[in-house]
Amino acid sequence: MSKTMLVNVTHVEETRVAVLEDGVLAAYEIETLNRTNLKGNIYNAVVESVHASLEAAFLRIGPELKGFLPLDQINFRLLPKQVEGRKHGQIGQHLKPGQKLMVQVVREPFAGKPPTVSTYFSLPGRFLVLMPGVDSSGVSRKIEDDKQRDRLKKIIGELKVPDGFGVIVRTAGIGQTKAELQRDLRYLLRLWESIQRSSQAHEFPSRVYEEANLVIRTIRDHLTPDIMEVVVDSKETFDSAQAFARDVMPKQAKTFKLYTGDRPLFNKFNLEEQIERIYKRRVPLPSGGEIVIDGTEALTAIDVNSARSKRQGDLEDVVAKTNVEAVEEIARQLRLRDLGGLIVVDFIDMTVARNKKRVEKAMRDAMKGDRARHDITTISKLGLMEIARQRIRSAKMAASYNTCPTCDGHGLIKNVEAAGLAALRRLQTRSTKSDIGRIRLTLAPDVAGWLLNHKRAEILNLERQRQAHVEIASNAALLRHESHYETFVREEPAETPVPEPPAEAADKPSSDEKPDGRRRATTKITKKKSREEPSVEEPTEEATAAIETEASEAPRRRRRRRRRKRSGDDGSGDSAKPGTVPTNVRVDELMPAASGTAQRAEQRRTRRKSGRRGGGRSRA
């Protein structure tokens, strides 16, 4: 099996490293400018608060960065307890607000939670991991060969490890000599001394040590002897990576190659499509089946489906084959996506116990190459397998994708009817205030159109009940579930006085006088201000006569209007029946919900008045 490492750093905003096994993506790391790595960084921290109920403390590790320090992450050798008694006790016995200490980030921030920090420091090298404040040393649990473990333990005993330090041999240390391990140890001890000097020189809180960049970290952790070549598409990165390899792993410095082709490096190896598949919900299997991956706040659920599997032969054998294929792909997707926490796998139901054991063994074998610590359970009677996996870094999807602002990450949005009814209910609630004279409601175009075409009658009824004017407007920038309300306070109506009769008619009895000479009380008529209302001018003799004639003919006109209404004609020339609601309304501009009946009635009265006035002048 040939392995190749590809390093893509042509754009400063993004750095990508991929490891291929026979052309198939086996490992993938990405780092962007807006999503920097925190794990491994060391900070001067200040205790902000101590929570006895959580047995943890919150620390300030940067100007705008907090850290979470649980009790089990406190190394009491580096942080002596402040009271006598039990070794651990309560966290309040060891930490106080304002206390200063040095910590290291051991877990990236996740789902709004701050990064987890620890006073158990670990400095990874090429072959060893140095642990200040720990006396024990050992060999990585991933090294399972007993002969290799015994040989490495013997070498550790011969290494010159200072007191108060512990070391762990990494999987890359397999087959290495004592001299190579001793050289790696000297490098790590110098690094720890420089970190301590930096901590004394920096203020609290501040960062005193930053973990190496993505390229150096990946070369340090993933470059094994079975990788045949490392291809880099940037001259600057190529020089720094090769210099690191000469210092730490001189035997593999010759495997580095600079790529200068015109075609993008990842496209040349057909990687872009494989990378995009990491972010998809459904992942196909070779036999036609598929796995469906859904993440939640509490766990990650993986469902195995037969889909289009070829069902030839015994059904139980087909199901077992599909489940085994799914196991290999699930283990690969967990590494590529860096999924951590609790993972629940729902396999296709199997009735034969032998097939269940086969799938369980396949999962354990597929997870052996995973660098993250993990624990795998057996398949339950419900066909579920639980996997607890260490979250090394935040999920890679967060580096390239943001939460959808329309659905807020749920994958669903309201339909037009539900959004329109919700807006109408909010409108009814807003209109309950007695001092509101006008409401302007702005909605998404499709919601505004549905509301005007299907709920205009309810809006008109609301206007009559509340004595308020409602306007519905559309704005393409609004999402379907969004709405904007503007309310305007009701204005006091202006008074329009009844014109006084001319001076010549002062001695004549008016219609307001009673037979006994007493004058009736004059009632002032109030009207709402309107842009179309004509200005009030000084009345003439002809206008006064027309007003008196109109008053005497008012009962007759009311009778004629009642007859026209019964016959279906209101005299306006409009053939539509009263109360008819239009069904198709344009929403590309401001559309008042009122039908305009009051405005048309006012215009008819104005026309009739002007006609009578013109007739009176002609008779004169």
Side-chain angles (χ1 to χ4, degrees):
M1 179 182 296
S2 63
K3 286 187 177 183
T4 305
M5 180 180 292
L6 306 178
V7 180
N8 170 231
V9 286
T10 54
H11 303 287
V12 296
E13 295 85 2
E14 186 179 70
T15 302
R16 301 187 297 174
V17 181
V19 177
L20 279 67
E21 294 181 359
D22 294 333
V24 179
L25 185 64
Y28 176 68
E29 298 291 341
I30 181 173
E31 192 171 84
T32 59
L33 286 179
N34 57 357
R35 181 175 170 268
T36 57
N37 175 72
L38 294 180
K39 186 177 180 182
N41 293 353
I42 298 178
Y43 296 85
N44 281 341
V46 180
V47 179
E48 279 197 341
S49 59
V50 179
H51 295 264
S53 59
L54 298 176
E55 286 294 344
F58 287 93
L59 284 64
R60 175 70 63 180
I61 62 177
E64 299 180 358
L65 187 62
K66 288 187 177 182
F68 178 75
L69 176 63
L71 180 63
D72 58 0
Q73 290 293 338
I74 297 177
N75 186 346
F76 294 97
R77 296 194 57 173
L78 299 179
L79 183 71
K81 61 185 179 184
Q82 300 181 6
V83 297
E84 297 296 331
R86 294 180 299 172
K87 180 179 180 181
H88 293 280
Q90 297 181 352
I91 192 168
Q93 297 174 328
H94 307 283
L95 296 178
K96 303 294 181 183
Q99 185 175 347
K100 299 178 180 180
L101 65 161
M102 190 168 62
V103 296
Q104 184 177 28
V105 177
V106 296
R107 184 178 300 170
E108 295 280 355
F110 174 74
K113 301 176 183 178
T116 302
V117 299
S118 173
T119 58
Y120 287 99
F121 299 95
S122 61
L123 302 178
R126 171 58 180 163
F127 308 120
L128 301 175
V129 176
L130 181 67
M131 299 179 295
V134 178
D135 287 333
S136 60
S137 299
V139 180
S140 173
R141 290 175 293 181
K142 297 178 182 179
I143 301 177
E144 298 179 351
D145 191 318
D146 293 337
K147 293 183 179 180
Q148 285 289 342
R149 294 183 66 88
D150 293 340
R151 188 184 73 85
L152 292 174
K153 287 181 180 179
K154 182 178 179 181
I155 293 177
I156 291 175
E158 298 173 356
L159 293 178
K160 299 177 180 179
V161 181
D163 294 337
F165 289 88
V167 294
I168 294 178
V169 181
R170 309 183 68 183
T171 53
I174 298 177
Q176 304 301 323
T177 63
K178 175 185 174 181
E180 291 172 331
L181 297 180
Q182 186 67 50
R183 182 177 59 181
D184 201 27
L185 176 61
R186 287 195 298 266
Y187 161 75
L188 293 175
L189 290 173
R190 291 195 304 269
L191 176 61
W192 176 247
E193 292 176 359
S194 66
I195 291 174
Q196 288 183 314
R197 289 194 300 268
S198 177
S199 176
Q200 296 172 1
H202 284 75
E203 59 183 6
F204 287 78
S206 63
R207 184 180 63 194
V208 299
Y209 169 74
E210 183 178 8
E211 178 69 301
N213 60 46
L214 175 63
V215 176
I216 300 301
R217 290 199 314 267
T218 307
I219 293 174
R220 181 191 65 195
D221 299 336
H222 292 275
L223 186 56
T224 53
D226 57 347
I227 293 181
M228 306 305 297
E229 61 178 359
V230 180
V231 184
V232 186
D233 61 1
S234 169
K235 182 65 168 63
E236 182 181 356
T237 305
F238 171 79
D239 293 338
S240 62
Q242 196 173 42
F244 174 79
R246 289 196 187 100
D247 293 339
V248 178
M249 51 192 88
K251 293 182 179 179
Q252 292 180 278
K254 297 180 180 180
T255 61
F256 287 77
K257 296 181 180 179
L258 178 63
Y259 178 74
T260 57
D262 295 333
R263 191 178 178 184
L265 178 61
F266 276 30
N267 282 336
K268 178 179 175 62
F269 288 85
N270 299 320
L271 273 185
E272 296 294 352
E273 184 177 352
Q274 297 187 51
I275 293 173
E276 286 299 321
R277 201 176 300 164
I278 296 175
Y279 307 118
K280 292 184 177 180
R281 181 170 174 261
R282 297 178 181 272
V283 180
L285 299 176
S287 65
E290 66 177 7
I291 61 174
V292 183
I293 304 175
D294 289 312
T296 66
E297 192 77 16
L299 53 86
T300 300
I302 301 178
D303 185 31
V304 182
N305 295 329
S306 57
R308 295 182 298 274
S309 297
K310 299 178 182 179
R311 302 184 180 182
Q312 298 178 354
D314 184 46
L315 179 61
E316 181 71 17
D317 294 339
V318 173
V319 169
K321 179 182 177 183
T322 304
N323 284 338
V324 171
E325 283 185 351
V327 161
E328 298 175 356
E329 186 63 31
I330 288 171
R332 177 171 169 267
Q333 291 294 327
L334 293 182
R335 293 193 302 269
L336 293 177
R337 302 182 186 217
D338 204 357
L339 298 177
L342 180 62
I343 299 111
V344 178
V345 183
D346 183 10
F347 288 104
I348 305 174
D349 292 337
M350 296 174 290
T351 57
V352 180
R354 180 181 66 257
N355 290 334
K356 293 183 179 181
K357 298 293 184 182
R358 176 186 171 191
V359 172
E360 292 169 0
K361 183 179 183 301
M363 179 62 80
R364 288 191 294 269
D365 293 341
M367 295 287 290
K368 281 184 178 179
D370 198 337
R371 295 175 53 245
R373 294 192 300 270
H374 56 271
D375 186 16
I376 305 172
T377 66
T378 59
I379 299 176
S380 67
K381 62 180 181 181
L382 301 178
L384 302 178
M385 173 184 286
E386 298 177 7
I387 303 173
R389 184 178 183 273
Q390 177 193 12
R391 181 178 287 107
I392 298 179
R393 305 192 187 279
S394 57
K396 294 182 177 64
M397 185 174 291
S400 303
Y401 287 81
N402 292 329
T403 302
C404 174
T406 302
C407 66
D408 198 21
H410 297 294
L412 299 171
I413 61 173
K414 276 188 175 182
N415 55 39
V416 176
E417 292 80 3
L421 291 175
L424 181 59
R425 285 190 288 267
R426 290 192 293 268
L427 177 63
Q428 293 169 339
T429 302
R430 296 289 183 95
S431 64
T432 55
K433 296 182 179 180
S434 59
D435 60 341
I436 292 180
R438 184 162 65 95
I439 301 178
R440 179 186 174 97
L441 171 59
T442 307
L443 301 166
D446 52 354
V447 180
W450 183 88
L451 203 60
L452 288 168
N453 292 333
H454 296 83
K455 293 299 177 181
R456 183 180 286 272
E458 285 83 349
I459 296 174
L460 293 176
N461 186 39
L462 179 65
E463 285 186 321
R464 288 191 293 269
Q465 291 178 353
R466 306 299 184 189
Q467 295 297 313
H469 184 61
V470 179
E471 296 177 356
I472 307 294
S474 66
N475 187 349
L478 292 179
L479 300 176
R480 186 175 288 177
H481 64 280
E482 295 177 337
S483 58
H484 180 62
Y485 293 84
E486 293 178 274
T487 58
F488 303 89
V489 180
R490 190 190 309 277
E491 297 181 358
E492 292 296 332
E495 295 184 351
T496 305
V498 177
E500 295 292 338
E504 294 81 357
D507 55 346
K508 296 180 181 180
S510 64
S511 59
D512 291 337
E513 291 185 1
K514 294 185 178 180
D516 58 359
R518 290 179 297 171
R519 190 174 183 84
R520 293 190 181 94
T522 302
T523 305
K524 294 182 179 180
I525 303 173
T526 61
K527 294 184 178 180
K528 187 180 289 186
K529 289 184 178 180
S530 175
R531 295 179 181 177
E532 292 129 354
E533 183 177 2
S535 60
V536 179
E537 298 179 357
E538 195 67 26
T540 61
E541 293 182 5
E542 292 82 355
T544 305
I547 293 173
E548 293 176 354
T549 304
E550 181 181 358
S552 62
E553 293 180 357
R556 193 177 305 168
R557 287 198 303 272
R558 286 196 295 271
R559 288 194 295 272
R560 285 199 297 269
R561 283 198 297 271
R562 286 196 293 270
R563 285 195 297 271
R564 284 196 297 268
K565 288 182 179 179
R566 285 195 294 270
S567 63
D569 182 13
D570 61 352
S572 63
D574 193 351
S575 59
K577 294 183 180 180
T580 303
V581 179
T583 58
N584 294 311
V585 183
R586 292 179 60 190
V587 295
D588 54 349
E589 59 182 358
L590 180 65
M591 295 170 293
S595 62
T597 305
Q599 289 83 343
R600 290 198 297 271
E602 180 68 23
Q603 293 172 0
R604 289 196 298 272
R605 286 195 295 270
T606 304
R607 288 197 298 269
R608 284 196 293 271
K609 289 180 182 180
S610 61
R612 283 192 294 271
R613 291 172 184 173
R617 284 194 294 271
S618 63
R619 286 193 298 273

